[in-house]
Amino acid sequence: MAALRALLPVVRRPLRSWPGCAALRPFASEADFKYILTEKKGKGRNVGLIRLNRPKALNALCEGLMAELNQALAAFEADPAVRAIVVTGGEKAFAAGADIKEMQNQTFQDCYSGGFLSHWDQLTRVKKPVIAAVNGYALGGGCELAMMCDIIYAGEKAQFAQPEILLGTIPGAGGTQRLTRAVGKSLAMEMVLTGDRISAQDAKQAGLVSKIFPVDTLVEEAIQCAEKIASNSKLVTAMAKESVNAAFEMTLTEGCKLEKKLFYSTFATEDQKEGMAAFVEKRKANFKGQ
Ligand code: HXC
């Protein structure tokens, strides 16, 4: 009880504002960014591309970078022209983890009362599909960031790891949870307890990655996948994403119930009528997202 009482002042204190915790606002222009590059890609410019761009530090995920990433995600989420998002890094590194130099002197008090990392999962709240295109290192927070995306494509030299144990800490942005769900307990436990890296090929075999491409075509392939997704109904795509993600949160019975409700809901959309009519009339569907 005494220990609980001692914690109360900490709990009551408002979250200190880590830069990334600031309210999300759409960016005014791409020139605002220091650590990322953004662009609209694809034939219909309907794919939002976010490139982590801090090459000298192998895209270490400093607070400034994470704040910019969240801003760019919010802007693409709010942009009706953008239908899917690709997050990528450089050839050597997708991201070599959270910024160790920023973290090294943090105290428990700083982390706990400041809500350290509390803004990292913004990516998981994006309704539009997000594809991670991973070349090079995806380590620690970099691997966790990739796992928050909906699909992971890897370049053939990509390497994935949760090496936090080698720094005297553990993954703190979902690594122990998402990795375990993705690759199963034995491999996840081995990676988390040893810090060993796995190759793109092993990651694909384990189910962490869906496809592998040559380094120089990876991002284009991810954009093409995003365009394919963008050609489907925006509304129904969001429902499909919600339903797949529910598999990580619910029991099988609950998940199937949610799926059935969402399935029924698609019959209230114009896009379901259009999709099925197009099949019967042997033509391409023209989805309006309604
Ligand atoms: C800060 C980093 C960094 C990181 C690399 N750098 N990773 N800075 N945080 N995570 C910096 C280096 O300090 C160096 O800067 C520059 O990037 C190039 O790195 P080198 O080590 O010289 O390159 P190389 O020899 O090719 O080795 C590459 C590497 C190695 C194997 C990726 O850098 C490495 O092991 N990095 C740390 C990986 C890691 O432990 N990640 C987990 C972080 S903890 P200078 O200024 O010296 O040139 C984490 C916790 C997550 O992510 C918790 C929840 C989010």
Side-chain angles (χ1 to χ4, degrees), residues 40-47 220 223-224 227:
K40 285 199 215 172
K41 302 290 274 188
K43 287 178 208 102
R45 292 179 57 78
N46 53 8
V47 177
E220 193 45 46
I223 290 167
Q224 278 178 29
E227 281 190 282

Side-chain angles (χ1 to χ4, degrees), residues 127-207:
K127 284 194 172 169
K128 294 177 182 174
V130 185
I131 303 173
V134 176
N135 267 324
Y137 298 116
L139 310 182
C143 187
E144 291 173 305
L145 199 66
M147 289 192 290
M148 287 179 211
C149 298
D150 300 308
I151 297 171
I152 305 180
Y153 275 9
E156 53 202 358
K157 294 194 183 134
Q159 294 188 48
F160 298 83
Q162 295 294 160
E164 290 87 348
I165 198 84
L166 306 175
L167 300 166
T169 184
I170 68 168
T176 60
Q177 305 303 300
R178 292 195 179 91
L179 188 64
T180 308
R181 283 163 170 79
V183 307
K185 178 177 167 182
S186 183
L187 180 57
M189 193 67 92
E190 187 184 347
M191 289 172 69
V192 169
L193 298 188
T194 64
D196 283 353
R197 295 180 210 150
I198 61 168
S199 65
Q201 292 71 23
D202 288 344
K204 180 167 182 297
Q205 199 180 356

